[in-house]
Amino acid sequence: MNRVPIGIVLNGVTGRMGYRQHLVRSLLAIREEGGLPAGDGSRIWPEPILVGRNPAKLQEIAERHGLTDWTTDLDAALARDDVQIYFDAQVTQQREKAIRAAIEAGKHIYTEKPLADDTAAAVELYRAARAAGVKHGVVQDKLFLPGLRKLHRLVEGGFFGRILSVRGEFGYWVFEGDWQAAQRPSWNYRAADGGGIVVDMFPHWQYVLERIFAPVRSVQAAIATHIPSRVDEAGAAYEATADDAAYGTFELEGGIIAQINSSWAVRVYRDELVEFQVDGTHGSAVAGLRECHIQHRGSTPKPVWNPDLPATERFREQWQRVPDNEPFDNGFKVQWERFLHHVVDGTEFPWDFAAGARGVQLAELGLQSAREGRRIEIPTLDL
Ligand SMILES: NC(=O)c1ccc[n+]([C@@H]2O[C@H](COP(=O)([O-])OP(=O)(O)OC[C@H]3O[C@@H](n4cnc5c(N)ncnc54)[C@H](O)[C@@H]3O)[C@@H](O)[C@H]2O)c1
């Protein structure tokens, strides 16, 4: 089969997301499958060029996976004619500068979220990419998770009737780093380094709410730094200056009320690390990363409030599991495949920089709402 190599600069490939989800689980997985079938019958063959700051780490990753192309010189990588795509999974604060350089080099761009540190910068990146005529996209992986795809399927099939509300619960305990190592990088807990759970998670909630239910029209958030000091990767104590929990209420177009709790200081008594309960006039659903359960109005029990008696029913057992009905691949990989088709075959890719800018906007206005103690309406972005 005719392989069409496509050079992809992967910047930030030593990080959690860059390495595991994007290099190994997406691009190398596509190669293991023999490449991605393109519209003309050829095979799109990703050729990763690993870029980072630490030569020893890059070389080690390259050797581990039988790759040879790595460099610490981003500009040199971007100057190469055999590079078509720039991908960014660096810490968020380094992103804007690198994406600008990639736009100037005429490369197509795919990036982790959030697109930039603030809305104005994100909008500028959208305008610059459009003006340069390059293709652009932002990771919106949650949309490709089996649980949320099943939820989307239920919405499209009219299962809920009129949707009333969405309750999201996201989070888990992130260790403080003293007696057990933290399972997230320390920059996540320092505001000056681009950390904070609002900046991290509200961009996800923006596209989940907009794509599955309706656009977000207002936000009201309370935030907290529940754990004020932590211990970093080198064993040094530091002050946690960024929010580690956010309790948000979002009003959606059409009157749906969404409430989503996001926390790195909560212990899990749920089936999955994120769960959304959706209630509608005709039925309800609870969706996680993989599973989705439903209860139709016809099988809804009639509980009667009586605190004098123990619970008379096993409520969880009254729900029905939604079957897969289709194979589900890794969400990051599925979105990568869509971006590669977008670049090579010119197919649609709605998860672009404009969509990414709306995610940054919701985070920014969520933080403003928390600071000012009020509900804030979300203006349509002037693109
Ligand atoms: N889509 C998702 O579900 C998801 C999940 C987690 C993180 N992310 C995003 O991915 C990006 C990376 O997050 P991560 O958790 O992989 O972080 P990480 O700390 O594990 O990796 C960060 C990467 O950036 C590099 N880097 C470049 N310049 C740096 C600098 N000046 N200081 C520190 N590191 C620098 C590091 O070497 C490393 O390769 C962030 O923008 C984050 O918002 C997305």
Side-chain angles (χ1 to χ4, degrees):
M1 186 104 26
N2 180 24
R3 271 186 193 169
V4 181
I6 180 151
I8 305 172
V9 165
L10 286 178
N11 196 7
V13 75
T14 60
R16 286 189 322 149
M17 300 311 294
Y19 176 70
R20 177 90 197 131
Q21 294 303 339
H22 295 287
L23 177 66
V24 177
R25 301 277 286 134
S26 297
L27 297 179
L28 295 181
I30 290 171
R31 284 162 56 123
E32 271 161 32
E33 289 171 5
L36 180 68
D40 65 0
S42 63
R43 293 244 163 196
I44 303 168
W45 185 255
E47 284 290 0
I49 295 116
L50 313 184
V51 174
R53 298 169 300 163
N54 184 327
K57 282 191 191 168
L58 292 170
Q59 184 174 7
E60 198 273 318
I61 290 177
E63 282 171 4
R64 194 185 311 157
H65 296 286
L67 301 169
T68 51
D69 219 345
W70 59 267
T71 176
T72 55
D73 187 342
L74 175 62
D75 290 335
L78 289 176
R80 284 169 50 166
D81 289 337
D82 61 347
V83 167
Q84 285 101 313
I85 296 174
Y86 171 74
F87 173 72
D88 194 297
Q90 295 185 98
V91 290
T92 310
Q93 283 188 335
Q94 299 297 319
R95 183 158 299 139
E96 183 188 343
K97 188 173 51 158
I99 290 182
R100 265 188 193 289
I103 293 173
E104 275 161 32
K107 307 303 179 192
H108 305 301
I109 296 153
Y110 187 43
T111 179
E112 260 297 351
K113 46 53 63 178
L115 173 57
D117 288 330
D118 59 58
T119 312
V123 168
E124 279 308 313
L125 288 180
Y126 166 73
R127 289 182 183 148
R130 200 180 49 176
V134 298
K135 294 182 167 143
H136 44 94
V138 177
V139 172
Q140 299 198 336
D141 53 290
K142 307 289 176 272
L143 292 176
F144 302 88
L145 290 167
L148 293 194
R149 283 181 57 187
K150 289 177 214 172
L151 187 58
H152 197 187
R153 195 201 281 160
L154 292 170
V155 174
E156 303 238 288
F159 168 77
F160 294 104
R162 183 166 60 85
I163 296 176
L164 311 173
S165 61
V166 179
R167 276 153 233 263
E169 195 65 54
F170 163 85
Y172 46 91
W173 191 266
V174 176
F175 280 90
E176 298 89 328
D178 45 5
W179 67 291
Q180 291 192 52
Q183 68 271 41
R184 295 186 62 92
S186 58
W187 66 267
N188 284 178
Y189 302 91
R190 290 189 293 264
D193 291 341
I197 203 163
V198 169
V199 168
D200 194 53
M201 296 313 297
F202 277 30
H204 287 299
W205 307 150
Q206 192 280 332
Y207 66 73
V208 165
L209 293 172
E210 177 185 270
R211 298 277 174 195
I212 300 182
F213 303 104
V216 185
R217 292 299 174 227
S218 80
V219 57
Q220 176 143 25
I223 63 171
T225 306
H226 289 306
I227 308 292
S229 69
R230 291 178 173 270
V231 173
D232 70 13
E233 293 80 357
Y238 66 96
E239 189 190 349
T241 47
D243 44 291
D244 58 14
Y247 307 89
T249 303
F250 310 89
E251 288 169 293
L252 311 190
E253 198 168 288
I256 300 170
I257 306 288
Q259 287 182 308
I260 306 181
N261 295 326
S262 315
S263 179
W264 288 319
V266 63
R267 295 185 177 87
V268 180
Y269 189 70
R270 271 172 261 136
D271 292 327
E272 306 206 50
L273 295 193
V274 66
E275 277 182 355
F276 295 94
Q277 171 159 346
V278 182
D279 288 293
T281 51
H282 285 56
S284 298
V286 176
L289 301 170
R290 306 199 71 84
E291 295 296 335
C292 183
H293 290 84
I294 51 174
Q295 186 169 87
H296 188 259
R297 67 196 295 231
S299 56
T300 303
K302 194 189 278 184
V304 176
W305 178 255
N306 185 352
D308 296 331
L309 292 178
T312 50
E313 299 178 76
R314 292 180 181 275
F315 293 110
R316 279 176 187 268
E317 290 174 11
Q318 295 160 347
W319 294 67
Q320 204 182 351
R321 182 177 176 274
V322 177
D324 286 1
N325 289 357
E326 57 181 316
F328 293 112
D329 205 346
N330 175 288
F332 290 90
K333 174 166 171 269
V334 174
Q335 203 184 354
W336 258 110
E337 291 174 349
R338 296 288 296 264
F339 190 72
L340 291 172
H341 278 303
H342 178 53
V343 167
V344 174
D345 299 325
T347 49
E348 285 287 295
F349 193 83
W351 312 284
D352 64 1
F353 279 10
R358 292 198 293 280
V360 176
Q361 181 196 34
L362 185 65
E364 191 170 285
L365 296 180
L367 286 172
Q368 186 187 339
S369 154
R371 231 176 11 250
E372 298 176 2
R374 67 185 182 95
R375 168 185 168 280
I376 293 188
E377 294 201 4
I378 317 275
T380 303
L381 274 183
D382 181 13
L383 295 168

